[in-house]
Amino acid sequence: MGGVASITGYKSFELGIFKQDDQAVQYIKLAIRKELLTLLDSGLEWVLISGQLGVELWAAEVVFELQEEYPDLKLAVLTPFLQQEEKWNDQNKEYYEMILSQADFVDSISKSPYQNPGQFKNRNLLFLHKSHSCIILYDPEREGSPRYFYEEAQRKQEQDPSFILKTITFDDLQWVVEEAQWG
């Protein structure tokens, strides 16, 4: 069980989040942490992200925090192509570099810079091929970039019932917020 989990979800701007210290980020990280703890109980060893701004990099921070309690947990960053951060602002680039410097494994799926959307499709398929489970922050009622990954993950789950697909919706986040406020 367990082995590798890929994590993805909305990019920060899709959620209207432009500052790392936005309160919403804390709740998203709490929701991811909760899912990861469940997977850790069934033998999770690697978390796989592609290094996108937003949910993926926040998930990386959660992994770094969990590594204090679970030193065997590792983070792999497999970018869809080279220099994905090229057009980001300096603050985002610094944040990205900080995450990469702490990751256990960093590589690029395509050995060239961005060329076409096919590079994202390749990433999705490779991630799902390598993963035993997937955590995705996505609400089917709210369109966004995670849609394609979500649809591929659903297909994989239909073909492979042992594949675990955990979706965090906005309702789930609302629960996390309420728990945090009342807890």
Side-chain angles (χ1 to χ4, degrees):
M1 276 296 287
V4 179
S6 50
I7 302 185
T8 191
Y10 295 102
K11 298 182 180 126
S12 28
F13 69 85
E14 291 181 290
L15 295 164
I17 296 172
F18 300 98
K19 295 198 301 287
Q20 294 303 341
D21 58 0
D22 191 306
Q23 188 66 52
V25 174
Q26 296 313 313
Y27 295 128
I28 289 169
K29 284 163 74 172
L30 268 174
I32 293 169
R33 181 188 171 90
K34 224 161 107 177
E35 296 295 358
L36 281 175
L37 284 169
T38 311
L39 292 173
L40 278 159
D41 287 341
S42 55
L44 178 66
E45 290 161 18
W46 281 90
V47 168
L48 190 54
I49 61 167
S50 67
Q52 284 182 339
L53 282 172
V55 170
E56 293 194 13
L57 293 184
W58 300 327
E61 289 190 76
V62 175
V63 171
F64 299 150
E65 288 160 18
L66 285 170
Q67 282 173 335
E68 292 170 22
E69 304 161 53
Y70 299 89
D72 294 337
L73 181 63
K74 293 181 177 61
L75 176 75
V77 184
L78 280 181
T79 67
F81 43 83
L82 297 175
Q83 295 145 9
Q84 75 171 344
E85 75 284 9
E86 199 180 20
K87 296 187 172 74
W88 299 357
N89 67 33
D90 289 345
Q91 197 184 353
N92 286 337
K93 278 183 185 163
E94 267 174 48
Y95 174 56
Y96 180 68
E97 292 302 327
M98 184 270 293
I99 299 282
L100 291 190
S101 70
Q102 292 181 63
D104 298 281
F105 182 81
V106 178
D107 202 359
S108 219
I109 297 166
S110 161
K111 302 303 180 206
S112 59
Y114 179 76
Q115 288 165 326
N116 58 59
Q119 288 165 304
F120 290 110
K121 189 171 171 57
N122 290 347
R123 176 212 48 200
N124 295 352
L125 296 173
L126 180 82
F127 270 43
L128 290 166
H129 176 66
K130 289 195 171 298
S131 303
H132 306 101
S133 58
C134 165
I135 299 170
I136 181 165
L137 184 102
Y138 178 65
D139 206 309
E141 288 173 21
R142 188 157 150 196
E143 280 294 309
S145 64
R147 187 183 119 200
Y148 302 103
F149 195 100
Y150 177 71
E151 288 170 357
E152 292 287 354
Q154 279 187 309
R155 267 195 287 281
K156 167 150 184 179
Q157 196 181 35
E158 283 161 20
Q159 292 158 2
D160 175 4
S162 71
F163 179 74
I164 301 164
L165 173 57
K166 292 173 170 277
T167 310
I168 301 170
T169 64
F170 292 112
D171 282 348
D172 296 328
L173 284 179
Q174 195 50 50
W175 274 107
V176 172
V177 171
E178 285 168 21
E179 268 184 0
Q181 286 169 347
W182 298 109

